[in-house]
Short mmCIF file of all heavy atoms in Angstrom, two decimals:
data_model
loop_
_atom_site.label_atom_id
_atom_site.label_comp_id
_atom_site.label_asym_id
_atom_site.label_seq_id
_atom_site.Cartn_x
_atom_site.Cartn_y
_atom_site.Cartn_z
N ASP H 498 4.04 -22.69 -3.96
CA ASP H 498 2.70 -23.01 -4.42
C ASP H 498 1.88 -23.66 -3.34
O ASP H 498 0.69 -23.43 -3.23
CB ASP H 498 2.77 -23.90 -5.65
CG ASP H 498 3.16 -23.13 -6.93
OD1 ASP H 498 3.28 -21.89 -6.79
OD2 ASP H 498 3.38 -23.75 -7.96
N PHE H 523 -29.19 -10.29 4.67
CA PHE H 523 -29.68 -9.23 3.78
C PHE H 523 -31.14 -9.56 3.35
O PHE H 523 -32.01 -8.70 3.40
CB PHE H 523 -28.78 -9.15 2.60
CG PHE H 523 -29.07 -7.97 1.66
CD1 PHE H 523 -28.88 -6.68 2.10
CD2 PHE H 523 -29.50 -8.17 0.36
CE1 PHE H 523 -29.10 -5.58 1.24
CE2 PHE H 523 -29.76 -7.06 -0.45
CZ PHE H 523 -29.53 -5.79 -0.02
N ARG H 528 -36.33 -5.17 5.78
CA ARG H 528 -37.32 -4.37 6.53
C ARG H 528 -38.70 -4.68 6.07
O ARG H 528 -39.01 -4.62 4.90
CB ARG H 528 -36.99 -2.88 6.33
CG ARG H 528 -37.88 -2.00 7.17
CD ARG H 528 -37.38 -0.56 7.14
NE ARG H 528 -36.04 -0.50 7.77
CZ ARG H 528 -35.27 0.55 7.59
NH1 ARG H 528 -35.64 1.61 6.89
NH2 ARG H 528 -34.07 0.62 8.14
N ASN H 532 -41.66 1.46 9.66
CA ASN H 532 -41.23 2.02 10.94
C ASN H 532 -40.50 1.03 11.84
O ASN H 532 -40.16 1.33 12.95
CB ASN H 532 -42.45 2.50 11.75
CG ASN H 532 -42.99 3.77 11.11
OD1 ASN H 532 -42.30 4.40 10.33
ND2 ASN H 532 -44.22 4.11 11.43
N GLU H 533 -40.33 -0.14 11.32
CA GLU H 533 -39.72 -1.21 12.12
C GLU H 533 -38.29 -0.90 12.49
O GLU H 533 -37.55 -0.33 11.72
CB GLU H 533 -39.76 -2.49 11.28
CG GLU H 533 -39.23 -3.72 11.92
CD GLU H 533 -39.01 -4.77 10.87
OE1 GLU H 533 -38.40 -4.48 9.80
OE2 GLU H 533 -39.54 -5.88 11.07
N GLY H 535 -34.62 -2.66 14.40
CA GLY H 535 -33.98 -3.92 14.60
C GLY H 535 -33.91 -4.24 16.08
O GLY H 535 -34.22 -3.43 16.92
N TYR H 536 -33.48 -5.49 16.37
CA TYR H 536 -33.33 -5.87 17.79
C TYR H 536 -32.03 -5.24 18.34
O TYR H 536 -30.97 -5.40 17.75
CB TYR H 536 -33.24 -7.36 17.94
CG TYR H 536 -34.55 -8.01 17.75
CD1 TYR H 536 -34.97 -8.37 16.49
CD2 TYR H 536 -35.42 -8.24 18.83
CE1 TYR H 536 -36.22 -8.94 16.29
CE2 TYR H 536 -36.66 -8.81 18.65
CZ TYR H 536 -37.05 -9.17 17.38
OH TYR H 536 -38.25 -9.74 17.18
N HIS H 539 -26.05 -5.55 21.53
CA HIS H 539 -24.84 -4.70 21.62
C HIS H 539 -23.51 -5.43 21.44
O HIS H 539 -22.52 -4.76 21.22
CB HIS H 539 -24.85 -4.02 23.00
CG HIS H 539 -25.90 -2.92 23.05
ND1 HIS H 539 -25.69 -1.65 22.66
CD2 HIS H 539 -27.24 -2.99 23.39
CE1 HIS H 539 -26.79 -0.95 22.80
NE2 HIS H 539 -27.73 -1.71 23.25
N GLU H 545 -16.63 -12.21 20.38
CA GLU H 545 -15.48 -11.34 20.13
C GLU H 545 -14.19 -12.10 20.38
O GLU H 545 -13.24 -12.00 19.59
CB GLU H 545 -15.52 -10.08 21.06
CG GLU H 545 -16.74 -9.17 20.85
CD GLU H 545 -16.69 -8.34 19.61
OE1 GLU H 545 -15.64 -8.26 18.93
OE2 GLU H 545 -17.74 -7.69 19.32
N TYR H 567 11.00 -18.75 3.56
CA TYR H 567 11.82 -17.57 3.38
C TYR H 567 13.20 -17.73 3.91
O TYR H 567 14.19 -17.41 3.25
CB TYR H 567 11.15 -16.37 4.01
CG TYR H 567 11.85 -15.04 3.93
CD1 TYR H 567 11.73 -14.25 2.78
CD2 TYR H 567 12.59 -14.57 4.99
CE1 TYR H 567 12.35 -13.03 2.68
CE2 TYR H 567 13.22 -13.33 4.89
CZ TYR H 567 13.10 -12.56 3.76
OH TYR H 567 13.70 -11.36 3.66
N LYS H 632 12.80 -14.01 -6.47
CA LYS H 632 13.23 -12.65 -6.90
C LYS H 632 14.05 -12.04 -5.79
O LYS H 632 13.97 -12.42 -4.62
CB LYS H 632 12.05 -11.81 -7.30
CG LYS H 632 11.19 -11.32 -6.16
CD LYS H 632 10.38 -10.11 -6.52
CE LYS H 632 9.27 -10.37 -7.51
NZ LYS H 632 8.19 -11.18 -7.03
N CYS H 657 12.79 -7.86 -14.87
CA CYS H 657 13.18 -6.92 -13.84
C CYS H 657 11.90 -6.51 -13.15
O CYS H 657 10.99 -6.07 -13.81
CB CYS H 657 13.86 -5.67 -14.44
SG CYS H 657 14.16 -4.42 -13.16
N TYR H 660 10.83 -1.27 -10.47
CA TYR H 660 10.73 -0.20 -11.44
C TYR H 660 12.04 0.61 -11.49
O TYR H 660 12.52 1.13 -10.49
CB TYR H 660 9.57 0.72 -11.15
CG TYR H 660 9.51 1.91 -12.01
CD1 TYR H 660 9.35 1.76 -13.37
CD2 TYR H 660 9.70 3.20 -11.49
CE1 TYR H 660 9.33 2.86 -14.22
CE2 TYR H 660 9.67 4.28 -12.36
CZ TYR H 660 9.46 4.07 -13.70
OH TYR H 660 9.46 5.20 -14.50
N THR J 872 -44.00 7.59 8.76
CA THR J 872 -45.40 7.22 8.46
C THR J 872 -46.13 8.32 7.80
O THR J 872 -47.00 8.13 7.00
CB THR J 872 -46.13 6.80 9.74
OG1 THR J 872 -45.67 7.62 10.80
CG2 THR J 872 -45.89 5.34 10.05
N ASP J 1010 8.20 10.66 -13.48
CA ASP J 1010 8.25 9.22 -13.88
C ASP J 1010 8.97 8.37 -12.83
O ASP J 1010 9.64 7.43 -13.18
CB ASP J 1010 8.92 9.06 -15.22
CG ASP J 1010 10.41 9.34 -15.16
OD1 ASP J 1010 10.88 9.79 -14.13
OD2 ASP J 1010 11.13 9.07 -16.15
N ARG J 1148 -31.15 -0.21 11.70
CA ARG J 1148 -31.86 0.31 12.83
C ARG J 1148 -31.55 -0.47 14.11
O ARG J 1148 -32.49 -0.89 14.83
CB ARG J 1148 -33.40 0.30 12.54
CG ARG J 1148 -33.74 1.20 11.37
CD ARG J 1148 -35.00 1.95 11.61
NE ARG J 1148 -35.32 2.86 10.51
CZ ARG J 1148 -36.40 2.76 9.76
NH1 ARG J 1148 -37.33 1.85 10.03
NH2 ARG J 1148 -36.62 3.63 8.80
N GLY J 1153 -20.68 -4.74 19.04
CA GLY J 1153 -19.32 -4.60 19.54
C GLY J 1153 -18.74 -3.22 19.37
O GLY J 1153 -17.64 -3.05 18.90
N PHE J 1177 10.86 -6.86 2.07
CA PHE J 1177 11.36 -8.17 2.37
C PHE J 1177 12.46 -8.62 1.40
O PHE J 1177 13.25 -9.51 1.72
CB PHE J 1177 10.20 -9.21 2.31
CG PHE J 1177 9.25 -9.10 3.46
CD1 PHE J 1177 7.89 -9.39 3.26
CD2 PHE J 1177 9.62 -8.69 4.70
CE1 PHE J 1177 6.96 -9.34 4.30
CE2 PHE J 1177 8.72 -8.62 5.78
CZ PHE J 1177 7.39 -8.93 5.55
N ASN J 1206 -17.69 -7.76 13.23
CA ASN J 1206 -18.75 -6.99 13.93
C ASN J 1206 -19.71 -6.34 13.00
O ASN J 1206 -20.93 -6.34 13.33
CB ASN J 1206 -18.03 -5.90 14.80
CG ASN J 1206 -17.53 -6.49 16.12
OD1 ASN J 1206 -18.31 -7.05 16.90
ND2 ASN J 1206 -16.25 -6.40 16.36
N ILE J 1216 -33.46 -4.34 7.86
CA ILE J 1216 -32.52 -3.93 6.80
C ILE J 1216 -33.28 -3.32 5.65
O ILE J 1216 -34.16 -3.91 5.06
CB ILE J 1216 -31.67 -5.13 6.30
CG1 ILE J 1216 -30.89 -5.78 7.48
CG2 ILE J 1216 -30.76 -4.73 5.16
CD1 ILE J 1216 -30.15 -6.95 7.13
N TYR J 1218 -32.89 -1.42 1.79
CA TYR J 1218 -31.93 -1.59 0.69
C TYR J 1218 -31.56 -0.25 0.08
O TYR J 1218 -31.36 -0.09 -1.09
CB TYR J 1218 -32.55 -2.45 -0.44
CG TYR J 1218 -32.80 -3.90 -0.03
CD1 TYR J 1218 -33.46 -4.78 -0.85
CD2 TYR J 1218 -32.38 -4.37 1.20
CE1 TYR J 1218 -33.64 -6.10 -0.49
CE2 TYR J 1218 -32.58 -5.69 1.58
CZ TYR J 1218 -33.26 -6.55 0.74
OH TYR J 1218 -33.46 -7.83 1.08
N HIS J 1250 7.56 -14.48 -4.26
CA HIS J 1250 7.05 -14.60 -5.66
C HIS J 1250 6.17 -13.42 -6.05
O HIS J 1250 6.25 -12.91 -7.14
CB HIS J 1250 6.28 -15.92 -5.78
CG HIS J 1250 5.67 -16.13 -7.11
ND1 HIS J 1250 6.40 -16.05 -8.26
CD2 HIS J 1250 4.42 -16.45 -7.50
CE1 HIS J 1250 5.63 -16.28 -9.29
NE2 HIS J 1250 4.40 -16.51 -8.85
N HIS J 1252 5.74 -10.28 -4.59
CA HIS J 1252 6.20 -8.92 -4.41
C HIS J 1252 6.43 -8.20 -5.76
O HIS J 1252 6.96 -8.82 -6.65
CB HIS J 1252 7.45 -8.94 -3.61
CG HIS J 1252 8.13 -7.60 -3.51
ND1 HIS J 1252 7.59 -6.55 -2.86
CD2 HIS J 1252 9.34 -7.16 -4.01
CE1 HIS J 1252 8.42 -5.49 -2.95
NE2 HIS J 1252 9.49 -5.86 -3.63
N TYR J 1317 0.13 -13.67 -9.94
CA TYR J 1317 0.66 -14.96 -9.55
C TYR J 1317 1.33 -15.61 -10.73
O TYR J 1317 2.30 -16.39 -10.65
CB TYR J 1317 -0.39 -15.88 -8.94
CG TYR J 1317 0.26 -16.94 -8.10
CD1 TYR J 1317 0.77 -16.62 -6.84
CD2 TYR J 1317 0.49 -18.25 -8.57
CE1 TYR J 1317 1.50 -17.55 -6.07
CE2 TYR J 1317 1.18 -19.19 -7.83
CZ TYR J 1317 1.66 -18.83 -6.56
OH TYR J 1317 2.37 -19.71 -5.83
N TYR J 1324 4.71 -2.15 -15.98
CA TYR J 1324 5.19 -2.59 -17.28
C TYR J 1324 4.34 -1.98 -18.37
O TYR J 1324 3.15 -2.14 -18.39
CB TYR J 1324 5.11 -4.14 -17.36
CG TYR J 1324 6.42 -4.85 -17.02
CD1 TYR J 1324 7.25 -4.30 -16.04
CD2 TYR J 1324 6.80 -5.99 -17.69
CE1 TYR J 1324 8.46 -4.91 -15.75
CE2 TYR J 1324 8.00 -6.64 -17.38
CZ TYR J 1324 8.83 -6.08 -16.39
OH TYR J 1324 10.00 -6.69 -16.09
N SER J 1414 -40.90 -6.08 18.31
CA SER J 1414 -41.72 -7.05 19.03
C SER J 1414 -41.06 -8.41 18.84
O SER J 1414 -40.04 -8.50 18.20
CB SER J 1414 -43.11 -7.02 18.47
OG SER J 1414 -43.03 -7.21 17.10
#
Side-chain angles (χ1 to χ4, degrees):
Chain H
D498 286 353
F523 188 65
R528 184 169 297 164
N532 288 343
E533 181 194 50
Y536 287 87
H539 288 270
E545 300 284 351
Y567 180 82
K632 73 160 67 69
C657 174
Y660 174 63
Chain J
T872 35
D1010 72 350
R1148 296 219 178 120
F1177 290 148
N1206 279 301
I1216 300 177
Y1218 293 176
H1250 179 51
H1252 170 66
Y1317 203 76
Y1324 263 36
S1414 53

